[in-house]
Amino acid sequence: MSTVRIAPRYTKNPLYALYFNSMNNPILNIAFIGNYLPRQCGIATFTTSLCESVATVRPGLSSFAVPITDIPEGYAYPDRVRFEIEEKNLDSYRRAADFLNSNNPDIVCLQHEYGIFGGEDGLFLLSLIRKLRMPIVTTLHTIMQNPSDRQRRILAEVANRSSFVVVMTEKAVELISSVYNVPLSKIRLIPHGIPEMPFIDPSFYKAQFDLAEKTVLLTFGLLSPNKGIEQVIRALPEIIKTKPETVYIVLGVTHPGLIRHEGEAYRLSLQQLATELHVEKHVLFRNRFVSAEELKEYLVMADIYITPYLYEEQITSGTLAYSFGIGNAIISTPYWHAAELLADGRGILVPFRSPEAIAEAVIRLAANKTERNAMRKNAFLAGREMTWPNVARKYVELFTEARMTRQNQITLPLDSQGSPLGGRFSEEEQNELPKLKLDHIKRLTDDTGMFQHAVYTVPNYNEGYCADDNARALILMVLLAAQADEENPEFNRLAGKYLGLLQFAYDEKSGRFRNFLSYNRVWPDETASEDSHGRVVWALGACLGKYHNPGFQGTAAKLFELGLPIVTQFSSPRAWAFSIIAIHEYLRRFSGDRLADGIREELSLRLFALYKENASPDWPWFEPYLSYDNAKLSHALIQSGSDSGNKEMLEAGISSLKWLMETQTSPQGHFRPIGSDRVYHKGEEKPLFDQQPLEASSAISACLEACRVSGDMFWHREAQRAFRWYLGGNDLSLLVFDAASGGCHDGLHVDRLNQNEGAESTLAFQLALAEMKEAEKSILLEEPLGIKA
């Protein structure tokens, strides 16, 4: 049996491989939850060592700790500790979840042991992890073979809500999969970490402890009755007969929990036993919690390390791992961890509660230096993979894998009874359109216009405004006003602000619409993109075609006349597409405008020529790459082909859109927009992240146009599928729109939502919602879908 086995490397995950090859998205910030030094316990030592080692092997990585504090006065924690959880205070766990969500680390690394969390069997932990929004990697320190029903349900939910669970032995892999039904794909085996230490002869440190001529036996750790120290003391009389120079060092304080309930009763009983057996001079009690450096010295000094634990069900022993990695000759009872680690000649196993067997093993090893040194060397060599730097690297790899593969590992959460809860809306619920809520739109809007960015849901004044987003906002108000049964003053109020900013954006000198405006209303000295100009033209065309406010129409008409002709000088296909859609809207009311119609024809022919130049059977697209707002190109060609009666142009628009939707479909069938991390060039792997709300909105609009033109309900279903992306029908099964604010998250990362809710994302969702509502209304009224007779 292999003692130190770790699970398959993350590069075996196909989704990760695609993403890893397409972007550099390192882990930057990790939160560690678990006990932390100076609290005196094994998990505190483990969490601290892991946290510090991860920080050491990954310079530049930020990490912080969230420990569980079990005493009212707390501990003198180091600066790395950012938030304390009061063990027995349920609200403290909920506050910790809020704190973590607010700080938004890339990964939470959780240490799980039933006894360190509040509530029966640590039940309070669930109120924390149920609220966390980031991936969780959980290290399991206790796994029971025969748990109570509550213990089984708690651990099952912890595993279910974790991207991966880490165990430290092969036996733990067997138990967590068979007893708790955790899929093997979620389980990773990483050994317990140990300090780095050269292979040193025990005599090196003996002199400084006045033990130069002694045979030293050692047990260290927090004292408690299950450790079986008394079994070694009972073995000493027999050992001393043969090796009178033997001393047994018991290193460590009594477990703090035991101290609170029983005081030093157990230690005193051990001292009394040594006196009764007349070996008190051979037993040295070192009643203190030693530093890591001092512990190394004690371990090196020991000729034989002994773990005489009384019960088999110990899945992990940090003290055993430390002594093994240092290269001690070890005698142990066959609890699970020891039976596995000390197999194949790496130690001696003795029966439980057998002082006679312990005495025999000690005498044998003490007398046989060759066997003892061979055992030490075998243990030391096997332990090199267990050093903290190596273990930390394995954890960092796993943290990266957790980010990359989270979407493959989302399963339904459980209620307090262990029954599944819906992790996202069902498909039927996803097809029920949310109610209109403009709270966040209003929050992002001031007297000047709409701010382009937000920090969470708070407007980011530092980034100012952009004509792009104010154009989108004007289009939204136009759609909402057109759908309303009666005039809505609020739509007029907001539309006036957005149209006013677009008017301010026009630069007479260049004949172009500027894009970025600072908070103090200063335009930078730069030429705006052709795409942003085209989007403003689109908004003006929509306003002219659908808005019935005479004042707004007059302003929009003037700007439209100024801004449209220059588009014929542009080279951007998307600027052409936005302008084609703008003219389509404009000609709804002003169909006799020959200038506008001529510009539309010219731009449409250019776009169609671009398609024919680049399209191939396996890549029926306008360009040899996909970048952003892709569906707008198909949308414009569909409209132009339909309006002009050019069937070839219409078919090209429909075919390109069909291919684009197929390209943006996951293996599971849900909508997966092309990632924005880079441009997707023909022949390359698709970038999967970050996924942008704009792409879903663009696809929805184009599919609904295809449905209106063709009368084929397939396209309405495709629009519904794309809209479900906002409602949890995505790679992470997460709601991208924010029902509380009416906003929309700025994207879907590989492992979580972008928590900011800026203008582009919010408007993309609201525009998609408005168009879906209009389409649903048309279907319910059984209106003809085709716009051509």
Side-chain angles (χ1 to χ4, degrees):
M1 178 185 296
S2 171
T3 303
V4 182
R5 179 188 66 80
I6 65 171
R9 292 287 300 273
Y10 52 79
T11 48
K12 290 187 178 181
N13 184 292
L15 182 61
Y16 177 82
L18 285 175
Y19 186 68
F20 184 80
N21 290 334
S22 67
M23 70 182 296
N24 179 23
N25 191 20
I27 299 288
L28 298 176
N29 193 8
I30 304 171
F32 291 83
I33 301 177
N35 297 348
Y36 211 83
L37 294 177
R39 181 171 175 177
Q40 297 178 355
C41 74
I43 291 181
T45 301
F46 181 95
T47 309
T48 306
S49 298
L50 178 59
C51 182
E52 297 301 326
S53 298
V54 165
T56 299
V57 300
R58 278 289 302 273
L61 182 148
S62 174
S63 59
F64 63 92
V66 178
I68 297 87
T69 299
D70 61 337
I71 54 176
E73 62 271 24
Y75 297 96
Y77 288 121
D79 291 342
R80 199 177 293 278
V81 170
R82 293 281 308 282
F83 189 97
E84 292 181 56
I85 299 174
E86 301 170 45
E87 179 187 320
K88 300 187 187 309
N89 184 338
L90 179 58
D91 284 340
S92 183
Y93 291 81
R94 294 167 178 154
R95 291 194 297 270
D98 292 339
F99 174 82
L100 288 164
N101 287 332
S102 175
N103 282 271
N104 201 27
D106 296 311
I107 291 285
V108 163
C109 181
L110 170 67
Q111 310 306 311
H112 182 265
E113 147 62 52
Y114 293 104
I116 70 173
F117 301 105
E120 293 187 72
D121 296 317
L123 184 65
F124 288 0
L125 172 65
L126 300 185
S127 65
L128 188 162
I129 63 174
R130 285 170 179 169
K131 295 182 68 176
L132 293 182
R133 301 191 190 116
M134 64 290 300
I136 304 170
V137 172
T138 299
T139 303
L140 302 178
H141 293 263
T142 296
I143 305 173
M144 298 180 179
Q145 189 169 28
N146 298 296
S148 67
D149 181 61
R150 182 191 298 108
Q151 289 167 339
R152 180 185 287 105
R153 285 190 285 109
I154 289 172
L155 191 53
E157 180 168 351
V158 169
N160 182 71
R161 292 184 179 275
S162 301
S163 294
F164 294 102
V165 294
V166 176
V167 295
M168 304 184 211
T169 63
E170 298 278 3
K171 180 68 175 182
V173 173
E174 173 194 328
L175 288 177
I176 194 66
S177 59
S178 62
V179 178
Y180 299 86
N181 297 319
V182 177
L184 288 172
S185 61
K186 264 197 171 187
I187 304 170
R188 295 292 184 268
L189 197 161
I190 301 177
H192 194 296
I194 61 171
E196 286 193 292
M197 189 75 181
F199 190 66
I200 301 175
D201 188 88
S203 61
F204 187 84
Y205 287 114
K206 283 185 178 180
Q208 73 185 54
F209 289 98
D210 295 326
L211 297 172
E213 304 301 324
K214 302 294 185 181
T215 297
V216 178
L217 315 180
L218 174 67
T219 297
F220 89 89
L222 297 176
L223 265 64
S224 60
N226 64 333
K227 296 297 177 68
I229 306 296
E230 64 278 3
Q231 304 300 318
V232 183
I233 294 175
R234 290 194 175 103
L236 281 176
E238 189 64 28
I239 295 170
I240 291 167
K241 289 179 185 178
T242 304
K243 301 289 292 183
E245 75 283 5
T246 299
V247 295
Y248 177 39
I249 299 177
V250 180
L251 177 64
V253 298
T254 303
H255 194 289
L258 195 64
I259 287 283
R260 285 195 289 270
H261 293 96
E262 301 178 13
E264 288 285 10
Y266 179 59
R267 183 183 297 274
L268 292 172
S269 72
L270 296 177
Q271 293 172 340
Q272 179 63 31
L273 177 62
T275 301
E276 291 174 359
L277 296 175
H278 307 292
V279 294
E280 66 272 16
K281 293 182 180 180
H282 296 267
V283 182
L284 306 180
F285 289 95
R286 297 289 186 261
N287 185 12
R288 54 199 178 89
F289 193 85
V290 296
S291 68
E293 288 304 313
E294 192 174 2
L295 176 59
K296 290 179 185 177
E297 295 174 0
Y298 272 102
L299 287 169
V300 168
M301 178 181 63
D303 295 286
I304 300 171
Y305 185 81
I306 306 177
T307 55
Y309 300 166
L310 301 181
Y311 303 103
E312 183 183 37
E313 289 193 4
Q314 177 140 352
I315 202 66
T316 303
S317 169
T319 64
L320 176 68
Y322 273 44
S323 62
F324 182 84
I326 286 291
N328 283 129
I330 300 174
I331 297 169
S332 177
T333 51
Y335 56 91
W336 288 331
H337 192 187
E340 190 171 305
L341 196 61
L342 303 182
D344 302 324
R346 292 189 291 265
I348 294 177
L349 298 175
V350 297
F352 293 105
R353 295 180 174 81
S354 178
E356 299 79 14
I358 293 173
E360 181 182 343
V362 169
I363 292 168
R364 168 185 150 190
L365 279 183
N368 193 333
K369 186 175 182 179
T370 300
E371 180 185 7
R372 192 168 71 248
N373 285 340
M375 189 180 295
R376 292 184 61 233
K377 184 177 180 181
N378 288 340
F380 182 82
L381 293 175
R384 291 316 83 207
E385 284 295 312
M386 299 166 59
T387 61
W388 274 118
N390 287 326
V391 167
R393 291 186 189 97
K394 292 181 175 74
Y395 269 93
V396 171
E397 289 181 357
L398 186 57
F399 296 154
T400 304
E401 184 179 359
R403 289 195 76 198
M404 304 311 165
T405 62
R406 184 183 181 192
Q407 57 267 50
N408 280 354
Q409 298 180 338
I410 295 291
T411 52
L412 291 179
L414 309 175
D415 63 18
S416 60
Q417 303 303 313
S419 301
L421 288 172
R424 63 179 182 182
F425 293 139
S426 66
E427 185 165 320
E428 293 76 15
E429 290 172 317
Q430 290 171 6
N431 287 336
E432 294 180 8
L433 299 175
K435 294 181 179 179
L436 177 68
K437 186 170 187 177
L438 298 180
D439 294 25
H440 194 50
I441 296 281
K442 296 174 185 177
R443 184 182 301 117
L444 290 175
T445 302
D446 71 353
D447 290 340
T448 300
M450 177 173 283
F451 294 103
Q452 61 174 328
H453 292 303
V455 179
Y456 293 85
T457 58
V458 177
N460 186 347
Y461 296 168
N462 291 323
E463 300 296 333
Y465 317 83
C466 70
D468 254 342
D469 290 331
N470 281 270
R472 293 185 179 99
L474 178 58
I475 294 169
L476 176 62
M477 293 304 117
V478 167
L479 291 177
L480 296 178
Q483 293 173 10
D485 295 330
E486 57 186 28
E487 185 172 341
N488 187 319
E490 187 67 3
F491 297 158
N492 287 334
R493 184 183 73 83
L494 293 170
K497 294 178 184 293
Y498 307 139
L499 182 56
L501 188 139
L502 299 184
Q503 179 178 242
F504 185 36
Y506 185 72
D507 178 28
E508 292 185 2
K509 183 178 179 181
S510 66
R512 298 274 291 271
F513 291 100
R514 294 166 291 199
N515 193 19
F516 298 110
L517 176 67
S518 69
Y519 181 58
N520 59 357
R521 300 184 182 181
V522 174
W523 297 100
D525 186 18
E526 61 183 36
T527 302
S529 72
E530 293 179 359
D531 289 1
S532 65
H533 183 103
R535 194 171 281 108
V536 173
V537 170
W538 172 21
L540 297 172
C543 185
L544 286 167
K546 290 183 177 178
Y547 222 143
H548 295 284
N549 184 307
F552 291 174
Q553 283 193 338
T555 302
K558 178 182 176 181
L559 294 172
F560 188 73
E561 184 177 351
L562 291 170
L564 180 61
I566 200 173
V567 176
T568 60
Q569 302 175 26
F570 291 172
S571 60
S572 166
R574 283 160 185 77
W576 303 343
F578 298 147
S579 300
I580 290 167
I581 296 169
I583 297 170
H584 172 84
E585 296 292 342
Y586 170 77
L587 290 178
R588 287 174 180 268
R589 295 183 69 183
F590 305 100
S591 58
D593 190 327
R594 296 181 62 191
L595 175 63
D597 198 32
I599 292 174
R600 178 178 64 174
E601 181 179 3
E602 179 181 346
L603 296 178
S604 300
L605 290 174
R606 283 192 204 173
L607 191 60
F608 189 30
L610 188 69
Y611 174 81
K612 290 190 287 187
E613 178 185 344
N614 288 286
S616 62
D618 64 331
W619 187 272
W621 194 246
F622 303 83
E623 300 161 315
Y625 53 82
L626 292 172
S627 56
Y628 87 106
D629 220 353
N630 297 297
K632 278 290 178 281
L633 302 182
S634 299
H635 186 163
L637 209 59
I638 290 169
Q639 278 190 344
S640 292
S642 174
D643 290 346
S644 65
N646 187 328
K647 291 184 178 180
E648 187 182 2
M649 185 181 289
L650 174 60
E651 288 174 1
I654 294 288
S655 297
S656 63
L657 180 60
K658 188 172 188 297
W659 174 82
L660 179 64
M661 293 303 290
E662 290 171 352
T663 302
Q664 298 188 123
T665 299
S666 73
Q668 295 77 27
H670 59 257
F671 183 72
R672 177 189 281 168
I674 298 297
S676 65
D677 173 63
R678 60 172 172 81
V679 172
Y680 171 31
H681 288 275
K682 180 180 178 180
E684 295 181 352
E685 296 285 0
K686 280 188 291 188
L688 303 183
F689 298 95
D690 293 341
Q691 296 175 17
Q692 298 295 308
L694 176 66
E695 299 306 317
S697 181
S698 176
I700 290 162
S701 187
C703 288
L704 291 177
E705 185 63 28
C707 184
R708 282 189 287 268
V709 167
S710 67
D712 187 347
M713 288 300 294
F714 163 79
W715 291 110
H716 187 267
R717 292 191 294 273
E718 284 293 272
Q720 285 182 315
R721 184 169 67 88
F723 191 80
R724 286 197 292 270
W725 182 85
Y726 294 108
L727 305 182
N730 53 55
D731 283 330
L732 300 191
S733 300
L734 295 176
L735 288 171
V736 183
F737 103 101
D738 184 345
S741 70
C744 180
H745 294 281
D746 277 353
L748 204 62
H749 296 320
V750 65
D751 60 335
R752 78 186 76 181
L753 293 168
N754 184 322
Q755 294 300 318
N756 298 330
E757 298 180 15
E760 179 185 291
S761 302
T762 295
L763 290 165
F765 169 74
Q766 292 291 354
L767 283 165
L769 177 60
E771 291 201 64
M772 289 296 296
K773 285 182 179 291
E774 183 65 24
E776 295 287 343
K777 181 179 178 182
S778 297
I779 292 170
L780 289 173
L781 294 175
E782 297 183 345
E783 293 180 354
L785 292 169
I787 60 174
K788 287 289 188 181

